[in-house]
């Protein structure tokens, strides 16, 4: 398995402050109903996608979805989406890409709570197994420009040595981060800040696609390329409308 270089890890970090995208606005009854439907659809989808060898635990998923609603509340992403709706949208991509690994799916739902709310990492460590904790720690670490392969992240209490290999943890981080990027690019029309969309799309074309081709699957790289080009087209159309 190819080992991730420190240069590629560094290029995957966010340039914006960790909490810069948090906005809270009113939610209409229809949006509340639609968002609840999204959560229910996700729960059904993830349980049907479960692998017999390492199945998804429906009770864990239900608990995480409640946690998302409780802690995100009506906070919105820069795309205008409710954060918990965005979280399940990203995780659905992760389910489709790495359905055989429930820990990665759980982490894809949980890490945003640690990154954007006051939920402490100690909560993850206390309520979930060490594999989930390690994945969350690594995804948050890449956003905070920390080393992904620091021993304390991989060998918590010396009990992760046998269960988690370093490359497996790092590749799981890639699945989650690139799913997040793909999902956000597909919401490009909803962004108010055109420069932010341009930055995402350009970074994807320059960096993310190469990462996906090298470490993951061609289909992921192709989906990222298509979404990035569509996002740039959205930006161009907005520019034309301003000048007309």
């Amino acid at each position: 398995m190819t080992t991730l270089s420190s240069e590629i890890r560094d290029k995957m970090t966010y340039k914006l402050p960790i909490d810069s995208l948090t906005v809270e606005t009113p939610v209409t009854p229809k949006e509340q109903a639609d968002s609840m439907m999204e959560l229910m659809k996700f729960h059904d989808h993830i349980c049907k996608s479960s692998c017999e060898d390492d199945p998804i635990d429906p009770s864990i998923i239900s608990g995480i979805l409640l946690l998302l609603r409780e802690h995100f509340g009506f906070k919105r992403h820069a795309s205008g989406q409710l954060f918990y709706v965005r979280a399940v949208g990203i995780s659905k991509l992760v389910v489709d890409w790495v359905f055989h690994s429930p820990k990665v799916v759980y982490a894809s739902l949980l890490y945003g709570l640690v990154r954007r709310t006051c939920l402490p990492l100690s909560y993850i460590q206390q309520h979930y197994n060490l594999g989930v904790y390690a994945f969350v720690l690594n995804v948050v670490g890449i956003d905070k420009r920390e080393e992904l392969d620091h021993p304390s992240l991989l060998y918590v209490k010396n009990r992760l040595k046998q269960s988690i290999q370093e490359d497996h943890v790092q590749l799981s981080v890639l699945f989650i981060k690139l799913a997040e990027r793909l999902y956000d690019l597909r919401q490009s029309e909803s962004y108010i800040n055109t420069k932010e969309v341009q930055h995402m799309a350009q970074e994807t074309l320059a960096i993310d696609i190469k990462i996906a081709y090298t470490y993951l699957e061609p289909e992921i790289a192709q989906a990222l390329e298509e979404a990035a080009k569509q996002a740039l087209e959205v930006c161009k159309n907005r520019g034309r409308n301003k000048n007309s």
Side-chain angles (χ1 to χ4, degrees):
M1 183 180 292
T2 309
T3 301
L4 300 181
S5 69
S6 59
E7 180 182 2
I8 285 178
R9 295 178 214 158
D10 292 342
K11 286 180 178 178
M12 288 188 69
T13 59
Y14 273 99
K15 295 185 178 180
L16 295 171
I18 206 99
D19 296 318
S20 65
L21 304 182
T22 300
V23 180
E24 188 158 1
T25 57
V27 178
T28 65
K30 182 180 184 304
E31 188 177 17
Q32 281 187 306
D34 289 345
S35 66
M36 285 301 297
M37 183 61 67
E38 287 298 317
L39 296 185
M40 289 188 287
K41 286 180 179 178
F42 173 76
H43 187 278
D44 290 344
H45 177 75
I46 195 172
C47 291
K48 290 176 181 176
S49 302
S50 186
C51 177
E52 291 184 4
D53 293 337
D54 194 4
I56 292 284
D57 187 330
S59 65
I60 291 179
I61 290 297
S62 297
I64 294 176
L65 294 181
L66 288 174
L67 201 65
L68 290 171
R69 283 290 308 275
E70 177 185 351
H71 284 265
F72 277 138
F74 296 152
K75 290 185 175 66
R76 297 180 185 274
H77 184 256
S79 64
Q81 274 203 322
L82 293 169
F83 264 116
Y84 63 80
V85 173
R86 175 178 179 267
V88 298
I90 292 168
S91 293
K92 186 176 183 298
L93 289 172
V94 175
V95 171
D96 294 341
W97 293 350
V98 284
F99 64 90
H100 58 280
S101 180
K103 291 188 290 291
V104 181
V105 177
Y106 302 154
S108 69
L109 288 166
L110 290 165
Y111 100 91
L113 289 170
V114 175
R115 181 174 184 256
R116 300 179 186 276
T117 76
C118 296
L119 189 74
L121 271 167
S122 58
Y123 180 93
I124 307 298
Q125 187 175 19
Q126 181 180 356
H127 291 85
Y128 301 92
N129 69 42
L130 287 171
V132 175
Y133 176 66
F135 289 139
V136 172
L137 207 56
N138 276 274
V139 182
V140 172
I142 200 171
D143 283 342
K144 291 184 176 179
R145 299 172 173 83
E146 295 173 358
E147 290 293 332
L148 287 182
D149 56 358
H150 191 281
S152 65
L153 302 186
L154 297 176
Y155 305 125
V156 180
K157 298 180 181 178
N158 295 319
R159 287 164 57 192
L160 294 178
K161 283 186 179 181
Q162 296 179 353
S163 61
I164 297 178
Q165 296 296 317
E166 178 182 342
D167 284 340
H168 178 47
V169 172
Q170 292 176 357
L171 287 175
S172 298
V173 170
L174 290 185
F175 277 117
I176 294 171
K177 293 303 297 180
L178 294 185
E180 180 180 44
R181 175 52 57 88
L182 177 58
Y183 185 85
D184 286 343
L185 284 170
R186 287 175 173 174
Q187 307 299 317
S188 58
E189 291 188 2
S190 302
Y191 279 76
I192 296 174
N193 190 336
T194 301
K195 287 185 178 180
E196 186 177 334
V197 176
Q198 287 176 326
H199 170 75
M200 279 198 303
Q202 291 165 355
E203 187 175 71
T204 297
L205 292 172
I207 300 170
D208 297 339
I209 291 172
K210 294 177 183 178
I211 293 173
Y213 272 122
T214 303
Y215 300 104
L216 304 181
E217 302 291 338
E219 292 81 5
I220 296 175
Q222 292 160 9
L224 284 163
E225 183 175 8
E226 180 182 354
K229 289 179 177 178
Q230 288 178 349
L232 288 177
E233 191 62 31
V234 168
C235 296
K236 288 179 182 177
N237 290 338
R238 285 187 184 177
R240 294 191 195 103
N241 292 335
K242 280 185 178 181
N243 296 327
S244 61

